[in-house]
Structures are given as structure tokens and as C-alpha cells.
Amino acid sequence: MSLINIDNVSIAFGHVALLDNVNLRIEKAERVCLIGRNGEGKSTLLKLINKNLHPDKGKIEYQTACRVALLNQNPEFNPDDTIFHAVAQGLGKIGELVNEYHEIVQAIATDDSFLKKLEVVQQRLEAEDGWSFEQRVETILSRLQLPADQKISNLSGGWQRRVALAQALVTEPDLLLLDEPTNHLDIEAIAWLEQVLLEFNGGLLFISHDREFMQRLATRIIELDRGQLTSYPGDYATYLRQKQANLAAEAIQAAKFDKKLAQEEIWIRQGIKARRTRNEGRVRSLEKLREERSQRREQVGKVKLKVETGESSGRIVIEAENINKSYQDTPLIKDFSTVIMRGDKIGLIGGNGVGKTTLLKILLDQLAPDSGKLKHGTKLSIAYFDQLRDQLNLEETVVDSVAQGQDFITINDQKKHIMSYLSDFLFAPARARSPVKSLSGGERNRLLLARLFTKSANVLVLDEPTNDLDVESLELLEELLLNYPGTLLLVSHDRRFLDNVVTSSIVFEGNATINEYVGGYKDIPKKSPEKKVNKKTTKKTKNKTQKLNYNQQHELSKLPAQIEGLETEQTELQQQTSDPEFYQADQSTQNKTLARLKEIESELQHCYKRWEQLENL
């Protein structure tokens, strides 16, 4: 039986059905990506499956004892809790007991009076078979590299999301639901998350607009469009080809329908001649066609983006020489130099907190460097996307937020009515008159872009513009930026967006070192962890082999090759599990492959631990 079976489920908020008699099955070990426009009802579907909501009609059936866990877009924790406590909460009441035991063990280190209390908790744990749950929490924390006793209040948004994932995984769910798991994660954290999910043995249903993430993970794409679910077996690239064919077929069918409706309208208007024929059946048929046409929900239009470019800047836009910047004695930028020319499209790439926004502000002359020279070219007109976020007045209407009381705006010397301009960003007249506070995250980002593109600018600075944008809006934004004649400075963690837009990348490589490379993310030279291991091993072996006996030297010399072989096998098996055809094979083959992946992970951990032990001798 499937993990879950959704049968003719409908749910509506107001007069529009978000889900309209939809059907869906999810099998064990499938990785299903749910996509669709902002506001279509994707999160609603996840909440229905997780039993946070109930359908208006239809039913959802679960495999016997099926455990479901949901990772929300914005996880909430008590800031005073430790990571251990937050993760253990995923286990419910037994988790609270496990956390109590953990806290007492920590306290005993400084206060022996807790020994008696420890004995009581140990007895309760044994009665509840709690030791296996305590071990489960410890294993998850180790696997996700989370420090057990760190306070939640000290964690960044990305690390809190990692804790939320641990809280979901500790329940050992059969079906894991993820709502936009990559939002606000940096590239390194996204790659880490991909690896964790590739090794997850249960079923996976996730919402994402990150196309590279979808391509690497999904074995099937489910699209929610106008209340209907359509399934596309295969990866994201396969979905794009099938979707295009479906849209073409839908357009042909709609054209045939409209032609028939037009012919029947001509017939009914023939007046006496039509009445004389007494073809009541044909009249009823026409009325049915009219009703069907009125109920037909058209495909939502596409965002139309144009930007006011203004006067061209000088040939050299920004010149920086030996820029240095530290924060509280911690170096962020060290001896950085660059020359940005008119028309360059520069991507800033690096982890959260490494100094990307600091460098942006220095380049824009909004923040002084500790040392170094900065020179701006002539005729610069800068529009900064991130600055607009704080300028949104939540009580204003959408139209007033953009037009500031004007009926017309001017884009590239052409006047346009504000309602027409907002319709290009998918704001219908009723939505355009709504307050900003009623907008979803994706709609607010579209509003920010609408405001940004009314500004006359020859330098665009976009700091994380892709958060919450649906795929179609992302692709249209890409097209706009590719055709933009001015200069672009872009901060993003969306790998495909970077690859499709930027001409060169400024990369934060750790220890305040920043280098510039031609091309996007895929063009950055990747450091090989295998080579690092071999180099480190060789160097340390030379210094320390005299303290090892013959057998230990021999074992240490073999470890790098052993690790390399295991990692190669691990990569090959992960590629197999990423292939949609893997899940068409028989269950025993799937189980054997997934079991071997687990074995390799355990063997690698043993090898690394043994290698460290030998080097420390």
C-alpha cells in the first residue's frame, strides 16, 4: 500500500477552490516535489496531509502506523531552550523525559545533589524504553552536526532550520513534509541539506522554488495549477519538457472550444429562424457551453518586467584597491581589489555572515573600509533592492506603495497607468487596492520589484531577490536582468539563478579571503576533499611516523585510499537513488542499495575516527 492516498479531496477559502477533487499517491522512498504559483495552495496541501487542516470533502488514507513529520517555512522555538531540548520535543512526552535526563547529567558535573533525582529519571526511562529514544536524539544531533547544549537564541535562521529538520527526523517519519526548506540557507547549507535528504529512507514531499535543488532531489514533480494536481514522473528537466507539451495541447483544446461557442452564438442570434427549428436540445447545449466557459479558470498570466534604466554610467563603475574591513577584531575582508565595468553582472557568493552585505555597502560607499581605496565612476544612479524592504508601509495599499498617489508612472519615457503596470506583476485591480499587510511573502517580493523597477537606475543592487518568488517569476526576472544594459551587483544563494545571470563571481572563500572568477557558481573552482585528506595525511605522516609501530604505519598509509574508495562508491549509489528509474525497480533492490548507503556512512565515520586516532599518537 502507498504511504498516503489522497482521494477526491477539495478545500476552498472563500469562493475559489484551492484544491478541487485532487488525487495523489506517494510511495515509500519517493522524493516528490510540489510546485506551483504563490497562493495556489501548496502549503495548504501539506497541512492537510499533516492533519493541521481537514478537507471540505474527500478523504486522506495513510498506511498503517504511518508517521508523518512536517518542517514549516518558519519554525518556532523557545529561544531559551537548548538544541537538545528542541530536538527532543519532536518525541512528545518521552522527549521531555529524555531532555530531563540530559539536563540532570549536565548538572551532576557541578552538583552531586542531583544523583537521587537521576536515579528516579533512569527508572522512568527504563519503564518507557526511553534509552533508545535518548540514543536517537544523540544520533540525529551528531549526524546534523548540532551542538546539543547551544541555546536556540544564539543560532542564525539557517541553523534554526537545521534544528527544525532534526526535530522532524528524530521521529523517524515514514513521510517527511518540507515547506520551502532552502529559504534563507546559504549554498553550503543547501548542499548539506541535499545530502541529508538523499540519504533519507522514507518518503519525501517538499515544496521548493530552487530549481537546482529540485533537479538534484526530485524523482517526481507534482504541479498544483488552478486547483488541480498534475503528476510528472522524473526530474525537473523532464517536467519542463512535459509541461510545455501539455500547455500546447491545452491551448489547442481551448481554441476548439471557443470556436464551437462562437458558432453556437451566431446560430442562436438568427432569431425567428432559430426558433422555427424548435431545436431545444441545441439551445440547452449552448447554455451549457456558456456555463462551462464562465467556470473555466484560465491559466494565470505571466509577470511582465521592465526596468527604467536612466542615463548610462561611465565606462568604469567602481574601482576598489586593497580593501580591508574587520568587525570586533575579526577580519571580514582582506586586501580585496576589483574593477567593475559598465554592463558587468557580478554575483557575490558565500555563506551567511561572511561579509557579503558589508562588501556591498563598502562598494556603494555607504560604509567606510578600515583601509584601502575606493573610486566611483561618473553618472552613477543606484537602485538598491534590500533598502526597499524596510520602506514598505504595511498599512498602505499596493497601488499607493508604488504610485504614491499618482495615476501614471513613466518607464523608459513611456507613460503607463498604474493599474496596468501592477497587472504586469500579477496584481489584479482588487488585489492592487488591498493593504500591503495582506500580501503573501511572494507577493511582497513582487511588490518590491515593482517599486524597484520604477526607479531610474544604471546600477542595480539586488540582495537576495529570489526568496519566495515562484519559478515563472524567477525565470522572467532572469530574462530582464540578462537584457538589462546597466551594471548588476547580485547577492543570491540560488545556484541556477547565479549561473543564468552573472558574468563573474566574487567568492568569499574563508579567512577573509575573497577571489573573483569569470562565470557563475558552476564555474568556481571546487576544492577536492579527497586531495585535502591525502595531503594532510602525507604531511602529518612524515612528522609522526617515528612514533607509530609498523602495523600502525601500514594502517595509516592505507586509510586515504580506503576513504577515497568508500566516498566514490557512496557518490555512485547516491546518483542511482537520484535517478527516477531507481524507484521502478523491485523493492529488494531498492532496500539493498539504501542499506549499503547506510553501511558506507558508518564505515566512513569509523575510518575518519581511526585516522584521527593514529595521527594523534
Side-chain angles (χ1 to χ4, degrees):
M1 180 184 172
S2 305
L3 285 175
I4 187 171
N5 180 27
I6 296 175
D7 186 18
N8 290 321
V9 163
S10 296
I11 189 169
F13 295 100
H15 65 283
V16 177
L18 288 178
L19 301 173
D20 190 4
N21 290 311
V22 301
N23 297 281
L24 175 65
R25 290 174 181 267
I26 298 178
E27 306 294 336
K28 183 180 180 182
E30 265 198 304
R31 296 194 296 271
V32 181
C33 179
L34 176 62
I35 65 173
R37 283 272 177 85
N38 294 322
E40 285 280 355
K42 301 185 298 297
S43 296
T44 298
L45 178 58
L46 262 58
K47 289 175 182 176
L48 284 169
I49 295 172
N50 199 48
K51 301 180 182 179
N52 301 118
L53 293 174
H54 300 285
D56 297 335
K57 60 176 288 193
K59 59 183 179 179
I60 303 177
E61 297 175 324
Y62 301 84
Q63 188 183 73
T64 305
C66 178
R67 293 187 300 273
V68 179
L70 170 64
L71 172 62
N72 286 308
Q73 282 193 43
N74 302 301
E76 295 182 1
F77 298 106
N78 182 339
D80 294 327
D81 281 347
T82 64
I83 290 176
F84 189 99
H85 190 189
V87 173
Q89 282 177 331
L91 297 171
K93 290 183 179 179
I94 190 68
E96 291 297 328
L97 186 58
V98 167
N99 179 66
E100 186 179 356
Y101 169 78
H102 180 77
E103 288 181 345
I104 292 172
V105 169
Q106 300 297 311
I108 285 175
T110 55
D111 188 349
D112 292 342
S113 64
F114 283 93
L115 283 169
K116 190 171 183 180
K117 191 174 182 181
L118 178 65
E119 186 179 344
V120 174
V121 173
Q122 283 176 328
Q123 290 173 355
R124 289 171 60 195
L125 275 172
E126 286 171 3
E128 299 283 345
D129 190 26
W131 297 117
S132 61
F133 291 99
E134 196 266 345
Q135 183 59 41
R136 195 189 296 180
V137 175
E138 295 284 2
T139 301
I140 288 293
L141 292 176
S142 173
R143 186 180 173 198
L144 302 193
Q145 301 169 5
L146 290 167
D149 300 311
Q150 181 82 274
K151 283 283 188 73
I152 295 291
S153 57
N154 296 330
L155 302 180
S156 66
W159 277 91
Q160 287 192 29
R161 187 161 288 233
R162 188 178 290 208
V163 174
L165 179 62
Q167 190 184 74
L169 290 175
V170 79
T171 65
E172 295 187 347
D174 300 293
L175 179 62
L176 180 60
L177 309 175
L178 304 176
D179 195 348
E180 293 287 0
T182 63
N183 265 7
H184 309 293
L185 295 186
D186 58 36
I187 291 176
E188 185 178 346
I190 292 171
W192 167 86
L193 178 61
E194 285 173 353
Q195 190 63 39
V196 170
L197 296 178
L198 281 169
E199 295 169 3
F200 177 62
N201 294 330
L204 179 65
L205 176 61
F206 65 99
I207 298 170
S208 182
H209 297 142
D210 186 321
R211 292 158 296 176
E212 195 65 28
F213 187 77
M214 289 189 270
Q215 178 65 29
R216 289 172 183 255
L217 275 183
T219 58
R220 178 159 59 117
I221 304 290
I222 300 291
E223 182 176 36
L224 179 55
D225 183 22
R226 292 162 282 172
Q228 297 298 310
L229 285 177
T230 307
S231 179
Y232 297 88
D235 59 14
Y236 180 68
T238 304
Y239 153 77
L240 289 176
R241 292 192 295 269
Q242 293 178 339
K243 173 67 175 177
Q244 194 59 41
N246 286 3
L247 285 176
E250 185 180 319
I252 292 170
Q253 192 64 32
K256 288 179 179 178
F257 179 94
D258 291 343
K259 183 178 179 180
K260 182 179 180 182
L261 176 59
Q263 289 170 343
E264 296 301 293
E265 291 287 4
I266 292 171
W267 171 80
I268 199 68
R269 286 178 173 77
Q270 290 177 351
I272 294 171
K273 179 181 176 182
R275 288 194 295 275
R276 192 179 294 144
T277 62
R278 308 294 294 172
N279 191 344
E280 297 299 332
R282 192 171 179 182
V283 172
R284 286 195 297 272
S285 178
L286 173 58
E287 289 173 348
K288 186 178 179 182
L289 282 172
R290 286 174 173 170
E291 176 64 20
E292 187 179 337
R293 180 64 183 82
S294 69
Q295 293 296 321
R296 190 169 79 193
R297 292 171 70 179
E298 302 284 1
Q299 184 190 16
V300 182
K302 292 185 175 182
V303 181
K304 299 174 185 176
L305 301 179
K306 291 184 179 179
V307 61
E308 172 65 44
T309 55
E311 184 182 9
S312 294
S313 68
R315 192 172 64 89
I316 294 180
V317 176
I318 300 172
E319 190 172 358
E321 183 180 352
N322 296 328
I323 298 295
N324 289 276
K325 185 69 178 178
S326 297
Y327 179 72
Q328 293 182 348
D329 298 326
T330 301
L332 291 178
I333 301 165
K334 186 165 57 179
D335 292 329
F336 175 70
S337 300
T338 188
V339 177
I340 299 174
M341 309 294 288
R342 182 177 61 226
D344 282 352
K345 295 176 173 64
I346 311 292
L348 279 74
I349 301 175
N352 291 329
V354 296
K356 298 187 299 295
T357 301
T358 299
L359 178 59
L360 263 185
K361 290 181 176 179
I362 290 174
L363 293 176
L364 297 176
D365 205 15
Q366 296 177 355
L367 181 67
D370 296 337
S371 62
K373 297 178 182 178
L374 180 73
K375 181 181 177 183
H376 275 192
T378 58
K379 302 178 183 176
L380 294 193
S381 177
I382 299 171
Y384 193 0
F385 178 78
D386 188 66
Q387 289 177 331
L388 295 176
R389 297 177 197 256
D390 298 329
Q391 294 173 13
L392 280 181
N393 184 340
L394 300 183
E395 302 302 323
E396 275 187 330
T397 62
V398 171
V399 64
D400 286 338
S401 182
V402 176
Q404 299 296 312
Q406 302 296 315
D407 290 331
F408 290 87
I409 59 173
T410 301
I411 304 291
N412 290 331
D413 298 325
Q414 293 183 349
K415 291 186 73 174
K416 191 166 190 176
H417 194 277
I418 182 58
M419 298 307 266
S420 174
Y421 177 71
L422 287 174
S423 71
D424 290 344
F425 290 82
L426 303 184
F427 290 107
R431 200 60 173 152
R433 296 186 180 94
S434 301
V436 173
K437 65 184 178 183
S438 70
L439 302 183
S440 67
E443 287 174 318
R444 290 189 190 187
N445 255 20
R446 288 209 307 270
L447 174 59
L448 289 169
L449 291 171
R451 286 179 55 141
L452 178 74
F453 295 148
T454 61
K455 298 179 178 296
S456 178
N458 50 39
V459 178
L460 275 181
V461 182
L462 305 181
D463 196 345
E464 288 292 348
T466 64
N467 282 341
D468 301 312
L469 287 185
D470 57 49
V471 173
E472 283 186 277
S473 300
L474 273 174
E475 290 174 344
L476 287 157
L477 179 57
E478 282 176 0
E479 186 178 347
L480 169 81
L481 296 176
L482 281 170
N483 297 322
Y484 176 59
T487 305
L488 172 69
L489 297 177
L490 169 68
V491 176
S492 180
H493 299 308
D494 188 319
R495 294 159 291 180
R496 188 164 295 193
F497 190 78
L498 288 162
D499 286 337
N500 292 347
V501 170
V502 304
T503 56
S504 63
S505 302
I506 293 174
V507 183
F508 290 70
E509 298 189 311
N511 299 321
T513 300
I514 305 172
N515 289 311
E516 190 168 358
Y517 301 97
V518 174
Y521 174 76
K522 67 182 179 184
D523 300 302
I524 300 169
K526 302 299 187 292
K527 296 177 181 178
S528 169
E530 289 84 1
K531 288 184 179 178
K532 269 186 165 179
V533 169
N534 291 340
K535 184 176 179 181
K536 186 176 178 182
T537 303
T538 304
K539 183 177 178 182
K540 291 202 173 183
T541 303
K542 284 180 181 176
N543 293 335
K544 300 194 177 183
T545 46
Q546 284 149 21
K547 297 183 182 179
L548 301 175
N549 62 38
Y550 175 80
N551 289 335
Q552 290 169 333
Q553 288 180 38
H554 183 65
E555 184 184 358
L556 181 58
S557 66
K558 289 175 64 178
L559 275 173
Q562 189 177 348
I563 290 170
E564 189 172 355
L566 286 168
E567 288 178 339
T568 301
E569 185 183 358
Q570 185 183 52
T571 301
E572 289 172 354
L573 292 178
Q574 285 166 354
Q575 288 172 350
Q576 287 181 33
T577 60
S578 299
D579 190 336
E581 293 183 4
F582 173 78
Y583 296 96
Q584 309 303 320
D586 61 272
Q587 193 66 45
S588 62
T589 302
Q590 293 180 31
N591 292 341
K592 186 177 178 181
T593 302
L594 295 170
R596 178 55 186 153
L597 266 174
K598 254 188 167 178
E599 288 175 7
I600 291 173
E601 183 180 355
S602 176
E603 288 174 25
L604 278 171
Q605 288 179 354
H606 172 75
C607 287
Y608 284 129
K609 187 175 181 180
R610 182 57 179 157
W611 177 46
E612 187 178 356
Q613 288 172 346
L614 290 172
E615 284 203 323
N616 288 334
L617 290 177

